[in-house]
Amino acid sequence: MNPKTLDHVALWVADRHRMAEVAVERLGVRVIERTDRFTLLGADARRGKLTLFDAEGPRERGPLARIGLRVSSLDGRDATVDLGEGLEIVLVEAETDSELDLDHVALVSANPAEAVERWQVLGFAPAGEGRVEVGGAYLELLAGEPGSPERPLLNHIGVLVDSVEEHRADAEDLGIEIDDLVDAPNTIALFVWGPDRVKLEYIEHKPSFSLT
């Protein structure tokens, strides 16, 4: 398993249009794409993004603690932004070549040490106690009880790969539980189950991929 970057975090939200408006106003991201099913938010279509999917509310936080976006300077902005529905975005001041790129996703885990080992099987690299990383962004595993929410806020975490077919074969060899394989117009995606029932998407951009 060899993911390249942390591509996006997908969320189930009850009012995605309102949340998108708040994110644009308070974070400075833009709407990259909007369809009948989802809204894609970010500063750069080829860097870390947020995907908002329609779902019945209220939503439960479950394993998702927070999402961090990287900025070169806070420049007077609030470091923590509440987008509503339990979604907290933290702005992390750090060196970056792409403003508002994904910095980290903090997840609650019943057993962080075990979760770290399992995330490494899925292709993430060790990055210190309670952390794994991919492409300079990381997952932070926090001790706690994620529960089994019927209406989770977190849909899935997406990582970019060169070949979904290679990852499908690797997942089968490693005994990783596969949820779905989706062949879309611009991408092909493999969904697997990670620690604490967090869904991970390996996404491959087709030559037709043209979001700007």
Side-chain angles (χ1 to χ4, degrees):
M1 316 301 278
N2 188 32
K4 299 163 58 180
T5 61
L6 185 59
D7 185 75
H8 64 273
V9 181
L11 305 143
W12 294 116
V13 298
D15 191 347
R16 66 177 166 111
H17 300 300
R18 183 208 59 80
M19 187 177 287
E21 289 176 358
V22 175
V24 169
E25 179 181 350
R26 298 197 58 194
L27 294 175
V29 295
R30 63 185 177 90
V31 175
I32 296 171
E33 185 179 15
R34 182 186 286 115
T35 73
D36 292 339
R37 294 181 55 246
F38 68 86
T39 301
L40 185 64
L41 301 170
D44 185 334
R46 295 185 179 275
R47 303 296 288 262
K49 300 170 287 291
L50 301 177
T51 310
L52 309 181
F53 285 94
D54 286 318
E56 186 176 354
R59 309 307 296 176
E60 303 171 64
R61 291 184 67 139
L64 181 63
R66 65 178 182 273
I67 298 171
L69 302 180
R70 195 172 296 164
V71 294
S72 56
S73 172
L74 286 172
D75 194 26
R77 290 184 290 183
D78 293 333
T80 302
V81 177
D82 184 356
L83 295 187
E85 300 190 39
L87 180 57
E88 182 179 272
I89 304 295
V90 176
L91 297 180
V92 180
E93 194 172 74
E95 184 177 344
T96 180
D97 61 355
S98 181
E99 294 295 315
L100 298 168
D101 199 359
L102 283 168
D103 178 79
H104 70 274
V105 181
L107 301 171
V108 175
S109 175
N111 189 330
E114 180 181 298
V116 164
E117 292 182 0
R118 292 182 60 195
W119 281 111
Q120 289 180 61
V121 173
L122 294 170
F124 288 72
E129 184 176 359
R131 287 185 176 186
V132 292
E133 69 92 21
V134 56
Y138 63 92
L139 302 184
E140 182 175 359
L141 288 309
L142 308 173
E145 181 49 61
S148 300
E150 293 183 3
R151 294 178 175 178
L153 177 61
L154 180 63
N155 181 324
H156 66 266
I157 295 171
V159 291
L160 188 64
V161 299
D162 286 326
S163 170
V164 159
E165 177 55 32
E166 289 180 4
H167 281 74
R168 182 197 61 77
D170 289 343
E172 291 179 347
D173 290 343
L174 292 167
I176 295 168
E177 183 181 356
I178 294 175
D179 177 67
D180 202 4
L181 182 67
V182 178
D183 192 347
N186 293 312
T187 62
I188 183 168
L190 173 71
F191 294 89
V192 303
W193 288 107
D196 300 294
R197 300 305 286 176
V198 172
K199 190 181 291 186
L200 177 67
E201 176 189 13
Y202 297 105
I203 184 168
E204 174 188 344
H205 291 170
K206 293 181 178 179
S208 59
F209 184 85
S210 60
L211 292 177
T212 57

